[in-house]
C-alpha cells in the first residue's frame, strides 16, 4: 500500500478511528491492533513476505531474551551472531545474490574464463533493508546492555513492523521507539495537528515536487546521449530535488502518520541542501541511516579516534557500505565512494565538525561566503547523484563528460515547465524559512488563522491537481 | 479528539464542496476530453477502440444511417488506454447500460493495441490510467478522477475554457478536431509520427493476451447486441509499416469477429489524415457512412 494511493486514503482514517475509539482502553489492545494493521499494510504488496518479517521478528525476539539471560560473553555473542546472520542472510539473499554471482562471472570473464552467471529470479521484498536494520539495532543494543530485552512479543512484533516507517524509514532505534509501545497512548490535539501538517507537507514534496521533477529527469537520463549540456545540468539538479522531495516527503508522511497514532519518530532530514560542506550534508541527510552506520559500524571500527590511515579506511568503508545498502549496483558503490572522497579532506584537515550550527542563524539571508559554500556543496551533491540515478557507471561517466560538451541549446522534446520552477522556488523558500525547526508548515508566525487555512487549502489543491496517485512509487521503496 | 475531528471534517468538507463546485461549473466538453467521457451517463451501444475511432467515427451519423433504437456513445480513448485487457473490459462494463439485445458495438481494432513492450508482458500497464483506473465513473463531479486519474500534469480541467482549444468532445463522445491542417503541417506530422511508430515497431512484440481479451470483450458485448470490428483508414506510410509488422492481422480479426470485420484499410489512399493516424474531420461523416452501410449489408437490413 503506497502512501499516495487510494487504498491508503481509506486505510488511514479507518485505522485511526478504530485505534482511538475501539482499541484505546488497553495498551495490549492498542499494540495488537497496530500489529494487525501493520501486517495488513505490508501484506498488501505481497502477503508471502509477511512470513519473512514475522520470522525475522521472532528470531530477534528470542535472541534478545537469550542474550540477556546468558551468563557468558561467548553465549551472548552466539545469539547476537544468530540475529545478525539471519537478518543479513535475508538481506544478502533477496537483495545481493544476483549482484554477487553476476559480478563474480564478470570477473572470471575478464581473466578469460567464460562463464554464465547463475542468477535467480528473486523478488526484492519491499523495505527489507529498513526493517532488518531496525530489528538488528535492537539485538545489538541488548548485547551492549544499552536496553533490556523485550518480554512482550506483541509489543516487539509491533515495533518491528510499525507501518508508518516499515518500508522506507526512518530506521528507528529500539531505544527510542520500543519504550513508546510500553506506554498506553493518549490522543493529543497538538500531536494530531502536527501529524496532519507533516502529512500534508510530505505529500506536497512527493507529488508536486518529486513527481513533477521526475518527468523531466526521466527524459534526460533516458536520452542523455542526445541531450545538451544545459539539459544534463538541469537533469542532475532536478534529480537532486526529486530524490529529496520523494524521500523526505515519505519521511514526513511517516512521522506525521506515527504522530496520529501517538508516536514520535526521529527526524530524518534537516534541510540538507543548505549545508555548507559535505560533512554537514551527511549530518542532515537520511539521518537515521547515517547515525545507524555511525553507531553500529563506524564507531566499532574505531571511528576517527585512531591513526589517520585507519580513520581514512573507516570513513571509506562507511560510505561504500552505505552506498551498497542502497542497492546491488556498482553505481551506488561509486556514489558512496565519491561521497567519501568529498568527505575525507574535511576529516584529514579536522574541519568535519566546523559547521554544526544552522546556516545564517538569526539572520534572514545568508552572506556571500555561505551562499558560495552552499552552492558548491549542492553542486558536488548533484554530481554524485548522477551516479546514483544512472543505470551503470559507464552511463554516469558519459553523462558527466557530456555536460562539458559546451552545448547549451535545448535538444530534447521535453522541457521543464515554468510551473515546476515555481514550485521548486516555493519549496526552497519554505525550507529556508524552517531550517531551524523540525516542522515545515507549523507556520506559527501566521497568527491569522484564516491565512493558515489558506496555505493548507493551497497545498491540498496542488496535491489534488498534481497527484499521480497509484502511479509512482517512492524511490526508496526499492532499497 | 472531538476538536481535532471537528476541525478536520470541517476543513475537509469546505475543501470538497469548493473543489466539487469548481469542477462541476468549469469542466466543459472543451476542458479535459477524458474526464468528459468518464462522467457521461451509461449507454447501451458503444464505439470502442483507440483515438482513430475517438476522432474518426461519428455516433450521430451511425444513429441516422442505422436507425438505432438506442443512442450510441463514442467511448474510445488513446491507444495506451484502450488496450484489450481485464481493466479496460471492466471499464467498458461499468459504462454499459444493459438495455436489451438490440445494442450495437463498433470496435475499432488497432494493430498497436495488440503489441506490448517486452518488459510489460507480465502486467497490464493501462490499468493505472483512466478510464480503466476509475472505480466510480459516471459521476460528475468525479473526485476520484480529480485526485488520482488526472491526466498528469494536465491543468485543463481547472482552467476555464478560453474558446481557443483545438478540440472538443461532442455530446455523444466523439472528439472533434477543430484545428486547421495545411499540407505542410500534415507532412511534418506524418514524418514525426512515423518516426515515433518506427521506434515503437522495434520495441514491441505481439501480446497474445490482448487477442484473448478482445475475444472476451466481444463475447461479453454480444450478450447485448451486434458487435463489429472495424479497421480504420490511415496514411499510406502507416499502412506499409503495419502490414510489415502484422501481415496476417486482417485474417486474425476476421476470425475473432466471426466474419463481422469491416476493413477500411483499402481507403487509406482516399482519406487524408492529420498525422498518418487520424482521418481529417471533414472525412469523418463519409467514413462513418461507409461503416454504417457495411453494418446494414452484414445485418441484411
Amino acid at each position: 500500500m503506497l502512501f499516495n494511493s487510494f487504498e491508503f486514503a481509506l486505510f488511514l482514517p479507518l485505522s485511526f478511528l478504530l485505534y482511538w475509539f475501539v482499541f484505546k482502553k488497553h495498551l495490549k489492545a492498542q499494540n495488537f491492533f497496530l500489529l494487525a494493521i501493520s501486517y495488513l499494510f505490508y501484506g498488501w504488496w505481497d502477503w508471502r513476505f509477511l512470513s519473512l518479517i514475522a520470522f525475522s521478528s521472532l528470531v530477534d525476539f528470542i535472541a534478545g531474551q537469550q542474550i540477556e539471560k546468558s551468563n557468558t560473553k561467548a553465549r551472548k555473542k552466539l545469539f547476537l551472531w544468530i540475529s545478525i546472520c539471519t537478518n543479513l542472510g535475508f538481506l544478502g539473499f533477496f537483495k545481493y545474490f544476483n549482484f554477487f554471482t553476476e559480478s563474480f562471472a564478470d570477473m572470471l570473464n575478464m581473466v578469460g574464463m567464460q562463464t554464465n552467471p547463475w542468477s535467480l529470479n528473486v523478488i526484492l521484498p519491499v523495505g527489507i533493508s529498513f526493517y532488518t536494520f531496525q530489528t538488528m539495532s535492537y539485538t545489538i543494543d541488548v548485547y551492549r546492555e544499552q536496553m533490556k530485552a523485550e518480554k512482550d512479543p506483541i509489543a516487539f512484533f509491533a515495533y518491528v513492523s510499525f507501518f508508518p516507517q516499515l518500508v522506507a524509514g526512518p530506521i528507528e532505534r529500539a531505544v527510542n521507539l520500543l519504550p513508546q509501545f510500553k506506554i498506553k497512548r493518549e490522543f493529543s490535539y497538538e500531536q494530531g495537528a502536527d501529524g496532519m501538517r507533516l502529512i500534508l507537507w510530505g505529500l506536497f514534496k512527493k507529488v508536486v515536487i518529486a513527481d513533477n521533477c521526475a518527468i523531466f529527469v526521466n527524459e534526460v537520463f533516458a536520452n542523455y546521449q542526445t541531450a545538451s549540456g544545459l539539459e544534463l545540468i538541469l537533469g542532475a539538479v532536478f534529480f537532486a530535488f526529486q530524490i529529496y522531495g520523494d524521500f523526505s516527503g515519505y519521511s514526513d508522511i511517516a512521522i506525521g502518520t506515527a504522530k496520529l497514532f501517538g508516536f514520535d519518530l526521529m527526524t530524518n532530514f534537516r534541510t540538507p541542501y543548505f549545508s555548507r560542506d559535505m560533512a554537514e550534508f551527511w549530518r542532515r541527510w537520511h539521518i537515521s541511516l547515517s547515525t545507524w552506520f555511525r553507531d553500529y559500524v563506524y564507531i566499532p571500527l574505531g571511528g576517527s579516534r585512531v591513526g589517520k590511515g585507519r580513520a581514512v579506511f573507516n570513513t571509506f568503508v562507511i560510505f561504500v557500505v552505505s552506498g551498497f545498502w542502497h542497492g546491488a549496483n556498482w553505481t551506488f558503490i561509486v556514489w558512496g565512494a565519491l561521497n567519501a572522497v568529498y568527505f575525507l579532506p574535511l576529516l584529514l584537515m579536522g574541519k568535519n565538525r566546523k559547521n554544526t550550527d544552522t546556516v545564517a542563524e538569526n539572520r534572514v539571508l545568508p552572506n556571500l561566503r555561505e551562499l558560495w559554500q552552499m552552492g558548491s556543496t549542492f553542486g558536488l551533491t548533484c554530481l554524485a547523484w548522477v551516479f546514483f540515478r544512472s543505470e551503470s557507471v559507464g552511463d554516469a561517466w558519459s553523462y558527466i563528460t557530456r555536460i562539458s560538451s559546451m552545448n547549451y541549446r535545448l535538444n530534447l522534446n521535453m522541457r521543464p515547465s515554468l510551473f515546476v520552477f515555481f514550485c521548486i522556488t516555493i519549496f526552497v523558500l519554505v525550507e529556508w524559512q524552517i531550517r531551524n525547526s523540525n516542522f515545515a508548515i507549523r507556520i506559527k508566525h501566521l497568527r491569522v488563522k484564516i491565512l493558515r487555512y489558506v496555505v493548507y487549502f493551497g497545498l491540498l489543491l496542488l496535491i489534488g491537481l498534481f497527484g499521480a496517485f497509484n502511479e509512482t512509487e517512492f524511490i526508496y521503496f526499492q532499497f | 479528539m472531538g476538536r481535532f475531528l471537528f476541525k478536520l471534517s470541517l476543513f475537509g468538507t469546505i475543501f470538497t464542496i469548493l473543489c466539487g463546485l469548481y469542477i462541476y461549473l468549469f469542466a466543459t466538453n472543451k476542458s479535459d476530453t477524458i474526464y468528459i467521457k468518464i462522467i457521461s451517463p451509461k449507454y447501451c451501444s458503444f464505439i470502442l477502440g483507440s483515438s482513430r475511432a475517438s476522432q474518426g467515427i461519428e455516433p450521430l451519423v451511425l444513429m441516422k444511417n442505422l436507425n438505432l433504437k438506442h443512442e450510441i456513445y463514442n467511448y474510445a480513448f488513446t491507444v495506451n488506454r484502450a488496450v484489450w485487457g481485464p481493466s479496460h473490459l471492466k471499464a467498458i462494463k461499468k459504462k454499459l447500460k444493459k438495455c436489451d439485445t438490440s445494442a450495437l458495438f463498433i470496435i475499432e481494432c488497432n494493430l498497436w493495441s495488440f503489441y506490448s513492450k517486452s518488459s510489460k508482458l507480465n502486467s497490464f500497464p493501462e490499468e493505472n490510467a483512466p478510464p480503466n483506473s476509475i472505480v466510480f465513473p459516471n459521476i460528475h463531479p468525479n473526485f476520484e478522477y480529480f485526485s488520482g486519474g488526472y491526466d498528469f500534469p494536465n491543468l485543463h480541467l481547472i482552467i476555464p475554457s478560453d474558446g481557443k482549444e483545438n478540440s472538443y468532445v461532442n455530446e455523444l463522445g466523439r472528439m472533434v478536431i477543430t484545428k486547421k491542417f495545411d499540407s505542410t503541417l500534415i507532412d511534418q506530422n506524418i514524418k514525426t509520427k512515423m518516426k515515433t511508430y518506427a521506434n515503437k515497431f522495434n520495441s514491441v512484440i505481439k501480446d497474445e493476451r490482448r487477442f484473448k481479451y478482445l475475444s472476451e470483450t466481444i463475447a461479453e458485448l454480444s450478450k447485448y447486441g451486434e458487435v463489429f470490428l472495424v479497421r480504420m483508414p490511415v496514411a499510406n506510410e502507416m499502412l506499409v509499416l503495419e502490414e510489415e509488422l502484422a501481415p496476417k492481422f486482417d485474417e486474425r480479426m476476421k476470425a475473432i469477429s466471426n466474419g463481422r470485420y469491416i476493413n477500411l484499410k483499402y481507403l487509406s489512399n482516399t482519406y487524408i489524415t492529420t498525422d498518418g493516424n487520424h482521418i481529417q474531420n471533414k472525412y469523418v461523416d463519409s467514413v462513418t457512412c461507409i461503416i454504417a452501410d457495411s453494418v446494414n449489408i452484414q445485418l441484411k437490413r
Side-chain angles (χ1 to χ4, degrees):
Chain A
M1 204 182 294
L2 295 167
F3 279 169
N4 54 339
S5 70
F6 187 64
E7 291 89 352
F8 188 73
L10 290 178
F11 170 86
L12 183 62
L14 271 178
S15 308
F16 175 82
L17 292 174
L18 284 172
Y19 181 73
W20 290 115
F21 286 105
V22 181
F23 295 93
K24 70 165 184 181
K25 283 191 179 152
H26 305 287
L27 175 66
K28 283 230 179 260
Q30 282 185 328
N31 286 344
F32 183 79
F33 180 68
L34 278 180
L35 177 64
I37 57 171
S38 295
Y39 272 48
L40 174 71
F41 177 85
Y42 192 71
W44 205 265
W45 273 287
D46 195 329
W47 59 269
R48 291 170 301 175
F49 291 135
L50 282 175
S51 56
L52 215 61
I53 194 168
F55 185 73
S56 197
S57 309
L58 184 67
V59 167
D60 289 323
F61 180 69
I62 296 169
Q65 291 201 327
Q66 290 304 319
I67 289 167
E68 197 174 64
K69 269 188 209 162
S70 301
N71 299 321
T72 63
K73 187 100 181 161
R75 203 176 146 78
K76 280 180 193 282
K77 219 170 212 169
L78 170 74
F79 283 104
L80 174 69
W81 278 108
I82 289 174
S83 158
I84 290 176
C85 290
T86 307
N87 288 304
L88 292 184
F90 280 148
L91 197 58
F93 176 75
F94 284 99
K95 193 163 175 176
Y96 300 109
F97 182 82
N98 286 345
F99 173 78
F100 281 123
T101 54
E102 281 163 19
S103 299
F104 186 62
D106 286 346
M107 210 170 68
L108 291 179
N109 290 344
M110 271 167 67
V111 293
M113 295 168 69
Q114 289 302 315
T115 174
N116 288 321
W118 184 57
S119 61
L120 290 175
N121 190 16
V122 184
I123 307 167
L124 181 67
V126 177
I128 189 166
S129 310
F130 290 90
Y131 72 74
T132 48
F133 269 47
Q134 178 157 316
T135 183
M136 266 198 300
S137 80
Y138 162 76
T139 39
I140 298 170
D141 285 350
V142 174
Y143 175 79
R144 289 174 171 177
E145 295 179 4
Q146 285 174 350
M147 68 179 296
K148 292 262 171 215
E150 180 53 55
K151 303 279 184 299
D152 177 0
I154 301 293
F156 183 77
F157 276 56
Y159 149 75
V160 177
S161 62
F162 188 43
F163 79 90
Q165 41 83 251
L166 174 61
V167 289
I171 303 166
E172 270 298 340
R173 302 298 177 76
V175 197
N176 174 39
L177 186 56
L178 199 48
Q180 296 185 53
F181 281 91
K182 306 295 290 176
I183 306 160
K184 192 169 150 282
R185 274 79 62 187
E186 298 292 340
F187 183 79
S188 127
Y189 174 81
E190 274 303 319
Q191 203 180 22
D194 281 344
M196 287 309 296
R197 289 185 194 112
L198 275 165
I199 292 172
L200 188 62
W201 184 241
L203 272 174
F204 171 78
K205 286 203 252 186
K206 163 65 182 158
V207 302
V208 180
I209 300 296
D211 290 351
N212 274 294
C213 287
I215 299 167
F216 182 68
V217 170
N218 293 343
E219 179 76 10
V220 174
F221 276 84
N223 303 295
Y224 71 90
Q225 279 153 331
T226 51
S228 69
L230 179 63
E231 284 165 336
L232 294 171
I233 291 171
L234 274 179
V237 170
F238 270 50
F239 181 67
F241 282 104
Q242 182 198 346
I243 194 159
Y244 178 52
D246 193 285
F247 192 22
S248 70
Y250 185 93
S251 290
D252 282 353
I253 301 170
I255 297 168
T257 308
K259 278 188 184 297
L260 290 181
F261 289 83
F263 289 85
D264 281 316
L265 300 183
M266 69 183 293
T267 304
N268 216 10
F269 293 88
R270 281 184 207 273
T271 55
Y273 290 150
F274 298 135
S275 302
R276 286 154 291 176
D277 58 44
M278 286 311 288
E280 188 186 4
F281 175 82
W282 280 105
R283 279 192 297 275
R284 292 173 173 274
W285 178 272
H286 202 176
I287 298 164
S288 64
L289 181 72
S290 312
T291 51
W292 197 100
F293 276 120
R294 183 197 64 200
D295 295 347
Y296 299 115
V297 184
Y298 186 65
I299 291 173
L301 282 173
S304 57
R305 290 177 183 173
V306 282
K308 282 222 162 141
R310 180 72 194 195
V312 168
F313 172 78
N314 289 350
T315 306
F316 221 83
V317 165
I318 204 81
F319 275 106
V320 170
V321 170
S322 165
F324 197 45
W325 175 90
H326 284 84
N329 194 330
W330 286 102
T331 51
F332 295 116
I333 296 174
V334 173
W335 171 76
L338 189 57
N339 275 289
V341 171
Y342 292 161
F343 182 82
L344 280 171
L346 295 168
L347 181 76
L348 292 172
M349 290 188 286
K351 290 184 175 174
N352 57 314
R353 299 201 64 80
K354 194 178 144 201
N355 294 312
T356 48
D357 58 343
T358 307
V359 65
E361 214 157 3
N362 306 321
R363 276 181 286 136
V364 179
L365 292 170
N367 58 35
L368 276 178
R369 185 185 152 85
E370 285 165 339
L371 209 59
W372 159 251
Q373 287 173 328
M374 286 191 290
S376 52
T377 307
F378 181 70
L380 288 174
T381 314
C382 288
L383 191 70
W385 285 136
V386 173
F387 285 92
F388 194 94
R389 174 62 177 77
S390 295
E391 297 289 320
S392 68
V393 176
D395 284 355
W397 186 246
S398 307
Y399 188 106
I400 290 165
T401 49
R402 282 192 62 84
I403 289 180
S404 54
S405 65
M406 304 301 285
N407 169 7
Y408 296 111
R409 284 174 301 139
L410 291 173
N411 293 344
L412 300 176
N413 290 330
M414 174 80 71
R415 282 174 199 174
S417 68
L418 278 177
F419 175 80
V420 180
F421 283 107
F422 170 74
C423 286
I424 290 177
T425 310
I426 299 274
F427 177 52
V428 172
L429 288 175
V430 174
E431 287 269 299
W432 179 257
Q433 199 61 33
I434 54 103
R435 67 194 183 284
N436 274 324
S437 90
N438 288 336
F439 285 94
I441 51 166
R442 189 174 255 176
I443 26 182
K444 271 188 173 162
H445 38 279
L446 279 182
R447 297 209 184 278
V448 187
K449 252 188 186 175
I450 195 87
L451 266 181
R452 241 186 280 168
Y453 282 97
V454 168
V455 173
Y456 300 151
F457 193 91
L459 283 174
L460 254 183
L461 201 65
L462 286 170
I463 290 164
L465 287 175
F466 289 90
F469 297 91
N470 275 337
E471 285 179 24
T472 49
E473 282 198 348
F474 289 83
I475 296 175
Y476 264 68
F477 277 21
Q478 60 187 296
F479 309 137
Chain B
M1 174 62 94
R3 187 175 149 218
F4 178 77
L5 287 179
F6 173 75
K7 276 194 166 183
L8 203 62
S9 0
L10 188 69
F11 181 74
T13 311
I14 294 172
F15 181 78
T16 311
I17 290 172
L18 287 179
C19 287
L21 207 65
Y22 193 90
I23 303 170
Y24 190 78
L25 293 174
F26 293 107
T28 66
N29 61 346
K30 287 182 179 176
S31 50
D32 185 312
T33 53
I34 296 166
Y35 179 76
I36 297 300
K37 288 190 177 199
I38 286 169
I39 58 155
S40 74
K42 289 183 171 192
Y43 282 91
C44 306
S45 298
F46 287 125
I47 294 158
L48 301 168
S50 72
S51 55
R52 290 181 189 178
S54 178
Q55 295 180 27
I57 306 178
E58 175 52 58
L60 280 168
V61 176
L62 280 182
M63 284 171 61
K64 203 171 123 192
N65 284 271
L66 291 170
N67 247 337
L68 294 179
K69 190 175 162 190
H70 308 289
E71 279 189 323
I72 184 165
Y73 190 76
N74 191 323
Y75 203 53
F77 292 88
T78 48
V79 72
N80 55 333
R81 296 167 196 273
V83 199
W84 309 112
S87 57
H88 193 53
L89 176 56
K90 218 186 240 179
I92 294 168
K93 281 186 193 171
K94 281 180 189 168
K95 189 59 88 179
L96 183 67
K97 190 170 162 187
K98 293 162 187 168
C99 302
D100 44 34
T101 55
S102 63
L104 175 71
F105 302 97
I106 303 289
I107 301 179
E108 181 264 331
C109 44
N110 184 330
L111 166 73
W112 301 101
S113 52
F114 296 98
Y115 282 72
S116 301
K117 282 188 175 172
S118 47
S119 57
K120 305 279 182 189
L121 285 178
N122 293 325
S123 61
F124 294 98
E126 73 278 6
E127 67 191 6
N128 293 324
N132 313 319
S133 59
I134 302 295
V135 184
F136 305 106
N138 322 328
I139 304 166
H140 179 41
N142 192 308
F143 284 101
E144 191 191 354
Y145 182 85
F146 182 63
S147 64
Y150 209 59
D151 214 8
F152 179 75
N154 185 346
L155 273 170
H156 292 171
L157 192 64
I158 56 143
I159 298 172
S161 165
D162 60 359
K164 289 178 186 165
E165 292 84 0
N166 289 320
S167 63
Y168 67 92
V169 173
N170 71 16
E171 64 271 32
L172 286 175
R174 183 171 82 86
M175 190 170 168
V176 182
I177 306 293
T178 49
K179 188 179 174 176
K180 300 279 175 242
F181 292 88
D182 59 29
S183 56
T184 323
L185 182 60
I186 292 172
D187 285 349
Q188 205 182 328
N189 282 350
I190 293 180
K191 264 185 201 158
T192 316
K193 194 65 93 180
M194 290 313 297
K195 217 170 151 187
T196 313
Y197 273 79
N199 284 338
K200 209 171 176 180
F201 178 81
N202 293 324
S203 63
V204 292
I205 54 171
K206 190 157 78 177
D207 187 348
E208 281 301 325
R209 298 173 310 164
R210 305 297 184 186
F211 290 99
K212 184 184 144 247
Y213 275 106
L214 174 62
S215 300
E216 265 186 45
T217 308
I218 294 172
E220 176 65 27
L221 297 177
S222 299
K223 292 177 195 166
Y224 310 103
E226 306 291 345
V227 183
F228 289 88
L229 295 193
V230 175
R231 183 173 182 178
M232 293 291 280
V234 286
N236 256 336
E237 294 92 326
M238 184 66 77
L239 186 63
V240 170
L241 185 70
E242 291 187 353
E243 292 292 283
E244 196 186 326
L245 181 62
K248 293 182 177 167
F249 182 71
D250 294 326
E251 289 161 35
R252 187 100 195 242
M253 289 300 106
K254 218 174 203 175
I256 287 177
S257 63
N258 290 323
R260 294 205 153 171
Y261 179 48
I262 302 166
N263 190 352
L264 303 186
K265 76 172 182 187
Y266 303 105
L267 299 174
S268 290
N269 271 331
T270 318
Y271 298 109
I272 300 168
T273 61
T274 56
D275 57 359
N277 232 345
H278 310 100
I279 55 165
Q280 288 191 22
N281 199 37
K282 59 183 171 189
Y283 302 122
V284 170
D285 285 2
S286 52
V287 169
T288 312
C289 276
I290 298 171
I291 295 171
D293 291 346
S294 305
V295 170
N296 268 331
I297 291 166
Q298 295 216 31
L299 292 178
K300 296 191 176 80
R301 292 208 283 205

